[in-house]
Amino acid sequence: MKLRFAPSPTGYLHLGNTRTALVNWLFSRRYGGEFILRMDDTDLERSKSEYESQILEDLAWLGLNHDHFYKQSDRLGLYEKATQELKASGRLYACYETPEELDLQRKVQASSGRPPRYNRAGLNLTEEEKAKFEKEGREPHWRFLLKSEDVVWNDLVRGEVVIHAEEMSDPVLIRADGSPVYTLASCVDDLDMDVTHVLRGEDHVANTAVQIQLMEALSGKACEIQFGHTALITGAQGEGLSKRVGSLSVKELRMEGLEALAICCLLAKLGTSQSIVPHVTMQTLVDEFDINAFGRSAPKLSTDELWQLNGKILQLMTYDQIMPRLEESGVTEVSSEFWSVIRGNIEKMDEVQGWWEILYGDDTYPTEETEFIGGAEAVLPEEPWDETTCKAWVEAIKLETGRKGKELFMPLREALTGRIHGPELKDLILFMGREKVLERLRNARGESNESDAL
Ligand code: GLU
């Protein structure tokens, strides 16, 4: 079993094509197949090496490792050979229309209510007519002669698909500058690389019909590849994702602090009958992967959902799992206790830094509630401290100050952490210990500042 992800390095990975990469990767890993990464870079004008290296970096970061890597620009000889074969068998014919002439043709067709289909004028040109065009300086582009028959396949997502090829335009396979178009290169490669399954977005359904005919013309036998076309993801309002490439590129989401696993957990299940749940390993996603679970309606993706999942994933991580991530973000030498105290409050990795400063640092969090904090300080239990200490302290504060609930907890938290929300107070004070708690309370009242000044 061989699958491939074939991005065109003409832009960054966004969540739409990342999902295609992930689905192919999961399928290959689920069934012990091979995963090919292929750069579809025959469009020399639009392909950029900057995009290629970013795609490689993003895929590695996502954990989508490949078994083979190819670039179509290294394989031009194969496409040339295929071109000659198609010409010899009469399936590739020269056309001389300029883009403006083709445009006019489409407009005329549209105004008489006909579908925009190439009129095959090139097919009937005599040698003299061709020579005349070339004398005028026109270089031909080459079209694949489609057979006027239905192309039928059993799609892994959509079930039986029937495409009426007689309604389609013969596709251009070779540009006027002699370079091969994606369709030709992709078919040559899929055959040459023995690809067995092609999973991609449903925007490729019509391409698949053409590609099946082309692969059959090239190989001389029925196409054996199994195709699956997933419904395209839309934004929360149903708008196309690619229009928002900027805001949803993997590169940018990573820079904003999103975990790779959040992207994978969401995209592996989006648009399927399976529920979206946080996981802390890719293996779980591999084990649960089921192409039959993908439905036909367009799933909506919201970035809020992605961030919520991010928080849940971080909260599920054990100390051993989070440690490498903490080190990456510059937080080293933290104990497993630290992680268990704060993990329930983390939505984003960079928030760890803030809690690290609060719990390990010696910042001061001044309060105007000096009297109340003084009261709390006066009844702070002596050591040794344990799980019951916090409850005893809170009871004592109630008695001492007459406060309870929010009125009691908010200023206390603020004096201890500078924040009104955070980890459970009981865990927080146990982690800090009596000396630090006392120091924070004093500092909050401005006490030691005074003594510092002395
Ligand atoms: N380079 C094509 C794309 O990015 C690949 C499509 C495919 O054959 O999977 O749309």
Side-chain angles (χ1 to χ4, degrees):
M1 183 181 286
K2 278 192 179 176
L3 291 100
R4 85 316 190 260
F5 174 54
S8 305
T10 54
Y12 294 123
L13 279 191
H14 53 81
L15 293 177
N17 48 20
T18 301
R19 178 182 187 229
T20 299
L22 178 68
V23 166
N24 281 283
W25 184 87
L26 288 171
F27 196 104
S28 73
R29 295 310 180 237
R30 175 82 173 87
Y31 301 107
E34 291 169 54
F35 180 64
I36 297 167
L37 174 61
R38 187 179 76 212
M39 289 292 158
D40 281 0
D41 60 351
T42 55
D43 185 343
L44 300 175
E45 254 172 53
R46 293 173 59 224
S47 299
K48 292 208 169 66
S49 62
E50 177 208 336
Y51 292 132
E52 181 183 318
S53 41
Q54 190 62 48
I55 291 171
L56 282 166
E57 192 182 321
D58 289 345
L59 290 174
W61 174 71
L62 288 162
L64 308 183
N65 59 321
H66 52 263
D67 306 303
H68 308 279
F69 177 70
Y70 301 100
K71 286 170 68 145
Q72 290 193 324
S73 54
D74 293 336
R75 300 168 57 83
L76 297 175
L78 281 177
Y79 313 140
E80 175 57 30
K81 188 166 161 272
T83 303
Q84 297 312 332
E85 284 166 14
L86 290 169
K87 282 182 187 170
S89 64
R91 295 294 293 277
L92 203 59
Y93 62 96
C95 301
Y96 292 85
E97 293 87 354
T98 62
E100 294 73 29
E101 285 165 348
L102 289 172
D103 203 36
L104 185 66
Q105 216 178 86
R106 279 191 289 267
K107 280 188 185 137
V108 171
Q109 284 166 335
S111 66
S112 59
R114 281 175 295 154
R117 186 168 169 250
Y118 176 59
N119 65 11
R120 286 187 167 164
L123 201 54
N124 303 314
L125 291 174
T126 62
E127 288 310 313
E128 291 75 48
E129 284 166 325
K130 289 184 196 173
K132 190 169 159 268
F133 278 132
E134 288 185 25
K135 228 172 122 195
E136 283 172 17
R138 294 198 191 200
E139 291 292 344
H141 53 273
W142 297 78
R143 287 186 189 261
F144 176 59
L145 181 63
L146 286 172
K147 283 190 179 164
S148 293
E149 58 190 26
D150 286 352
V151 181
V152 184
W153 72 91
N154 194 6
D155 195 278
L156 291 166
V157 177
R158 301 164 66 86
E160 188 179 83
V161 178
V162 181
I163 302 285
H164 309 299
E166 71 274 13
E167 290 169 8
M168 302 177 83
S169 279
D170 290 339
V172 175
L173 294 192
I174 307 290
R175 299 184 186 91
D177 67 3
S179 63
V181 170
Y182 145 78
T183 311
L184 175 65
S186 181
C187 288
V188 169
D189 284 346
D190 288 345
L191 286 171
D192 184 63
M193 294 169 189
D194 294 322
V195 168
T196 58
H197 295 74
V198 171
L199 309 175
R200 54 190 177 188
E202 67 183 6
D203 50 337
H204 283 288
V205 166
N207 283 346
T208 295
V210 168
Q211 291 176 11
I212 287 176
Q213 282 210 10
L214 181 53
M215 283 194 273
E216 295 187 345
L218 288 168
S219 69
K221 58 182 177 88
C223 175
E224 287 169 0
I225 293 181
Q226 290 213 288
F227 291 91
H229 295 86
T230 51
L232 298 185
I233 304 175
T234 67
Q237 264 73 50
E239 72 279 23
L241 263 198
S242 53
K243 297 200 181 64
R244 303 181 54 199
V245 159
S247 61
L248 293 179
S249 77
V250 170
K251 179 185 178 204
E252 208 163 333
L253 290 168
R254 179 184 179 183
M255 271 165 29
E256 283 175 25
L258 197 76
E259 298 299 302
L261 269 168
I263 296 180
C264 294
C265 286
L266 184 74
L267 295 182
K269 300 295 167 69
L270 198 67
T272 75
S273 51
Q274 298 172 320
S275 46
I276 297 168
V277 280
H279 289 300
V280 292
T281 65
M282 288 293 270
Q283 191 55 46
T284 322
L285 295 177
V286 171
D287 296 342
E288 290 178 1
F289 182 77
D290 179 8
I291 191 71
N292 295 317
F294 282 81
R296 292 190 54 172
S297 52
K300 289 193 165 82
L301 183 148
S302 82
T303 31
D304 290 350
E305 197 178 2
L306 203 51
W307 284 107
Q308 277 162 19
L309 197 58
N310 198 63
K312 288 185 193 154
I313 289 169
L314 287 176
Q315 290 164 23
L316 275 183
M317 286 192 179
T318 62
Y319 177 65
D320 289 340
Q321 284 162 335
I322 203 74
M323 208 44 218
R325 295 285 292 111
L326 292 177
E327 275 167 6
E328 262 171 49
S329 68
V331 177
T332 51
E333 295 171 37
V334 293
S335 59
S336 62
E337 288 75 30
F338 168 75
W339 178 239
S340 46
V341 170
I342 66 153
R343 72 196 240 181
N345 291 273
I346 300 300
E347 291 242 299
K348 223 171 136 175
M349 209 42 219
D350 63 7
E351 291 165 7
V352 174
Q353 180 80 33
W355 283 109
W356 186 79
E357 274 156 22
I358 290 169
L359 294 185
Y360 285 90
D362 42 38
D363 278 359
T364 297
Y365 308 111
T367 179
E368 281 167 17
E369 303 250 25
T370 47
E371 200 185 317
F372 168 72
I373 294 299
E377 193 187 311
V379 295
L380 187 65
E382 290 301 327
E383 275 170 327
W385 281 11
D386 62 21
E387 294 282 313
T388 63
T389 306
C390 186
K391 196 162 179 260
W393 186 31
V394 169
E395 287 308 317
I397 298 174
K398 280 185 193 165
L399 280 178
E400 176 76 14
T401 66
R403 289 200 192 186
K404 55 181 188 187
K406 237 165 94 176
E407 306 271 276
L408 181 153
F409 286 104
M410 294 244 268
L412 205 54
R413 276 187 177 284
E414 239 186 328
L416 292 174
T417 65
R419 299 182 181 189
I420 51 173
H421 298 292
E424 293 238 15
L425 199 61
K426 132 174 125 32
D427 300 332
L428 204 60
I429 67 161
L430 258 187
F431 181 83
M432 290 167 98
R434 189 173 196 278
E435 199 181 320
K436 188 152 195 138
V437 168
L438 198 59
E439 191 187 318
R440 285 274 158 94
L441 298 175
R442 283 201 184 125
N443 287 347
R445 293 194 296 124
E447 258 232 335
S448 54
N449 285 352
E450 281 162 28
S451 53
D452 283 353
L454 288 176

